[in-house]
């Protein structure tokens, strides 16, 4: 059974109305790769203008699980047929044509697509692998989308170009889900306390207990002298504070310090060792 091409957040008008149009694709494997790129970004509306070969085994093999996008693909004989009912058409193009045409970058194209999708279908048109869209086809587009790739090596694989544009569509869609950067799909998870982190941040008291234990161990192994401390503990404190330790990480570090004390020359402080044993095992 095929899974829906749309993501769990639902059947959204924006995603439903945006269609990816491929013109005269010569390699059917590229069609499958495009389907995969689309489904990765939650899109499933694929139109094919006079493909050299479709459907076939190569397209389904390259789709890597996005066969439902291929199953629903519309195959038509001309670009006019693919865009006839669209309210906005944007085609990918390089810059530098004799008659300048409105040119926008992929993020702006995503915004334009969002603005028009409620009024009707929006087409994003991609040309042939070897020479893109013809001038006549580009003149049927309201805007040209230019991907600012390396000018010394600007040629993009068809599926890569589709992926870039679909990614911008996805990001624009997600930002609008819950009113901006508050969307849970976009929030970063980089440290304890962030949504999704598995262990709460270590409280100050536990962190200070770790620092006291660390200093004692460094004294025990003759690495640190309290009478001539220099800036060792200050720099170590800065290092670990920068890491923003969680409770489990504190427990692990305290356990390591206890093991170091036990394996040293037997001069570990019994009180600190006992306290470390309890800290390292009490929250496991």
């Amino acid at each position: 059974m095929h899974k829906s091409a749309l993501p769990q957040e639902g059947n959204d008008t924006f995603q439903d109305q945006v269609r990816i149009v491929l013109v005269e694709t010569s390699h059917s494997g590229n069609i499958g790769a495009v389907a995969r790129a689309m489904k990765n970004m939650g899109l499933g509306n694929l139109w094919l203008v006079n493909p050299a070969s479709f459907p076939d085994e190569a397209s389904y093999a390259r789709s890597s699980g996005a066969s439902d996008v291929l199953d629903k693909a519309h195959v038509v004989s001309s670009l006019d047929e693919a865009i006839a009912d669209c309210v906005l058409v944007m085609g990918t193009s390089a810059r530098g044509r004799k008659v300048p045409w409105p040119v926008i970058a992929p993020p702006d194209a995503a915004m334009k697509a969002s603005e028009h999708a409620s009024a009707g279908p929006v087409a994003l048109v991609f040309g042939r692998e070897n020479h893109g869209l013809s001038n006549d086809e580009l003149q049927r587009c309201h805007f040209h989308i230019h991907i600012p790739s390396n000018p010394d090596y600007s040629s993009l694989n068809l599926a890569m170009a589709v992926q870039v544009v679909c990614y911008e569509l996805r990001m624009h869609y997600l930002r609008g889900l819950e009113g901006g950067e508050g969307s849970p799909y976009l929030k970063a998870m980089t440290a304890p306390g962030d949504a999704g982190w598995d262990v709460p941040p270590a409280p100050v008291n536990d962190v200070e207990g770790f620092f006291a234990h660390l200093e004692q161990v460094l004294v025990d192994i003759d690495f640190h002298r309290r009478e001539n401390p220099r800036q060792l503990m200050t720099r170590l404190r800065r290092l670990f504070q920068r890491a923003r330790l969680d409770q489990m990480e504190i427990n692990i570090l305290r356990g390591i310090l206890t093991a170091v004390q036990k394996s040293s020359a037997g001069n570990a402080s019994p009180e600190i060792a006992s306290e470390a044993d309890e800290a390292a095992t009490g929250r496991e």
Side-chain angles (χ1 to χ4, degrees):
M1 180 180 295
H2 298 315
K3 295 181 179 178
S4 169
L6 294 173
Q8 291 181 351
E9 54 264 21
N11 187 354
D12 185 84
T13 301
F14 174 41
Q15 295 180 326
D16 234 6
Q17 293 285 70
V18 174
R19 64 180 62 165
I20 302 298
V21 180
L22 307 184
V23 176
E24 295 186 351
T25 309
S26 58
H27 301 289
S28 60
N30 287 334
I31 297 174
V34 166
R36 179 179 184 179
M38 291 172 61
K39 189 167 182 176
N40 284 155
M41 298 296 112
L43 298 170
N45 195 354
L46 176 62
W47 288 62
L48 305 173
V49 177
N50 194 26
S53 175
F54 181 84
D56 61 15
E57 184 177 346
S59 59
Y60 277 85
R62 288 284 302 279
S63 71
S64 298
S67 55
D68 54 331
V69 177
L70 299 179
D71 290 343
K72 297 184 298 182
H74 301 262
V75 180
V76 295
S77 59
S78 68
L79 177 60
D80 287 339
E81 188 176 351
I83 64 176
D85 60 338
C86 291
V87 298
L88 178 68
V89 180
M90 294 181 281
T92 52
S93 170
R95 290 181 182 271
R97 299 188 176 273
K98 290 183 179 179
V99 178
W101 213 263
V103 178
I104 56 179
D108 299 315
M111 183 175 66
K112 291 287 185 186
S114 178
E115 290 171 353
H116 289 78
S118 60
V122 172
L124 301 175
V125 185
F126 297 82
R128 302 155 189 84
E129 292 95 331
N130 56 351
H131 59 272
L133 296 168
S134 68
N135 287 333
D136 183 63
E137 289 161 346
L138 284 167
Q139 288 173 18
R140 284 164 166 72
C141 302
H142 299 94
F143 295 94
H144 294 172
I145 304 172
H146 176 68
I147 299 173
S149 55
N150 177 5
D152 295 328
Y153 191 66
S154 60
S155 178
L156 286 171
N157 172 275
L158 175 60
M160 292 178 181
V162 173
Q163 185 80 78
V164 169
V165 176
C166 288
Y167 169 79
E168 294 297 345
L169 288 165
R170 177 73 174 168
M171 292 298 289
H172 187 84
Y173 169 73
L174 291 177
R175 289 190 185 104
L177 271 185
E178 295 185 6
E181 296 295 337
S183 169
Y185 297 89
L186 299 178
K187 282 186 176 179
M189 183 185 68
T190 62
D194 292 344
W197 200 270
D198 60 338
V199 180
V204 170
N205 188 57
D206 287 357
V207 176
E208 291 303 316
F210 161 69
F211 285 134
H213 192 180
L214 175 62
E215 183 174 18
Q216 181 61 53
V217 170
L218 295 177
V219 169
D220 291 345
I221 63 175
D222 294 326
F223 190 86
H224 173 59
R225 291 180 176 83
R226 288 193 176 98
E227 66 275 10
N228 186 25
R230 299 182 182 272
Q231 295 181 339
L232 175 63
M233 291 309 301
T234 298
R235 291 187 178 277
L236 288 174
R237 178 180 284 271
R238 184 178 68 178
L239 167 65
F240 285 106
Q241 292 282 49
R242 194 167 68 240
R244 296 179 63 191
L245 300 166
D246 66 32
Q247 291 180 3
M248 184 62 69
E249 290 163 346
I250 286 288
N251 293 345
I252 292 169
L253 289 170
R254 294 294 298 271
I256 292 171
L257 293 176
T258 298
V260 171
Q261 287 179 307
K262 289 179 177 178
S263 64
S264 66
N267 54 354
S269 165
E271 294 81 6
I272 291 183
S274 175
E275 177 187 344
D277 283 334
E278 182 179 351
T281 59
R283 297 187 180 88
E284 291 286 310

